[in-house]
């Protein structure tokens, strides 16, 4: 057996997956608006956000499908017609800077501990796949599951989702699909780390769920165990 930092014992022969949310878990705060500003400039993001102020506010308050739809409308407004290769290049630069500036030392240390134990680490985030991929690469994670964006035959972004926003039940579905593709010999032990309502389904299905939110007992994930704050 191997002892986890939290005292949890995991058999060394048991396949183990550690799933980490990105925004608010591995890093401080959100990243999507910062990414959009990098791609399109602050004035464009301000104008688009102002036009969509009501659906964005309602989505933020109610979460769920309304939040998913508002986010997609914002993406369509700002990203439709942009060359996917140029956006990918800018996203790689953004991811490196964001991780360096906003990474949470405690959570990154836990991720590194999982790597040292030869666990399969996967980043599961509602943020765009374009930079979730780069974060996973930098952190040496085995996988990256983010919100995928549509691309037309001319290699231009449509701005719309390819599939669903990777939040809530979609996070769990994507992780389940990823685990199935790994063809593990037996059911894996799953550690999951999140900070918000969008992570509740993911943590609820995990063997060892952890609430990394700042609000503690006041947060949406208060029924899950806490770890030491950084």
């Amino acid at each position: 057996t191997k002892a986890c930092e939290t005292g949890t014992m995991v058999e060394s022969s048991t396949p183990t997956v550690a799933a980490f949310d990105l925004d608010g878990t591995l890093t401080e705060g959100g990243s999507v608006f910062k990414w959009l500003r990098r791609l399109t400039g602050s004035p464009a993001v301000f104008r688009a956000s102002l036009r969509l102020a009501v659906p964005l506010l309602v989505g933020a308050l109610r979460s769920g499908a309304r939040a998913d739809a508002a986010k997609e409308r914002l993406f369509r407004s700002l990203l439709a017609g942009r060359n996917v290769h140029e956006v990918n290049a800018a996203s790689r630069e953004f991811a490196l800077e964001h991780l360096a500036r906003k990474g949470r030392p405690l959570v990154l240390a836990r991720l590194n501990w999982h790597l040292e134990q030869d666990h399969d680490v996967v980043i599961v985030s509602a943020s765009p796949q374009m930079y979730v991929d780069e974060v996973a690469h930098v952190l040496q994670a085995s996988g990256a599951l983010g919100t995928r964006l549509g691309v037309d035959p001319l290699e231009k972004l449509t701005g719309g989702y390819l599939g669903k926003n990777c939040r809530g039940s979609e996070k769990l579905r994507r992780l389940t699909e990823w685990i199935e593709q790994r063809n593990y010999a037996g059911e894996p032990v799953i550690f999951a780390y999140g900070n918000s309502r969008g992570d509740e389904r993911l943590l609820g299905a995990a063997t060892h769920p952890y609430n990394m939110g700042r609000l503690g007992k006041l947060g949406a994930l208060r029924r899950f165990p806490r770890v030491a704050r950084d």
Side-chain angles (χ1 to χ4, degrees), residues 81-218:
R82 292 184 176 271
N83 182 278
V84 66
H85 301 295
E86 294 176 358
V87 173
N88 276 330
S91 297
R92 285 192 291 272
E93 294 178 3
F94 168 79
L96 292 172
E97 293 179 11
H98 182 65
L99 193 58
R101 293 178 180 177
K102 296 295 184 177
R104 294 177 67 186
L106 171 69
V107 192
L108 293 172
R110 292 181 69 84
L111 184 148
N112 287 328
W113 179 85
H114 282 291
L115 292 175
E116 290 168 0
Q117 307 308 308
D118 294 324
H119 298 165
D120 285 335
V121 172
V122 56
I123 312 302
V124 189
S125 173
S127 295
Q129 185 81 49
M130 292 172 162
Y131 62 87
V132 176
D133 279 337
E134 187 62 26
V135 169
H137 175 72
V138 171
L139 296 179
Q140 301 181 0
S142 300
L145 306 173
T147 298
R148 296 169 291 199
L149 300 181
V151 181
D152 69 19
L154 298 178
E155 299 186 321
K156 305 289 187 180
L157 289 174
T158 65
Y161 300 147
L162 179 61
K164 296 182 179 180
N165 189 30
C166 190
R167 183 200 59 78
S169 59
E170 182 67 4
K171 279 193 173 186
L172 178 57
R173 189 196 71 79
R174 293 279 300 280
L175 178 64
T176 301
E177 180 182 71
W178 185 85
I179 288 173
E180 290 173 350
Q181 292 171 351
R182 306 288 288 184
N183 294 317
Y184 289 117
E187 195 73 19
V189 170
I190 301 174
F191 288 76
Y193 302 85
N195 77 298
S196 69
R197 284 179 293 178
D199 302 313
E200 190 167 7
R201 295 286 185 88
L202 183 67
L203 269 63
T207 319
H208 303 293
Y210 293 103
N211 171 15
M212 305 306 295
R214 296 289 194 180
L215 295 179
K217 294 182 179 180
L218 298 178

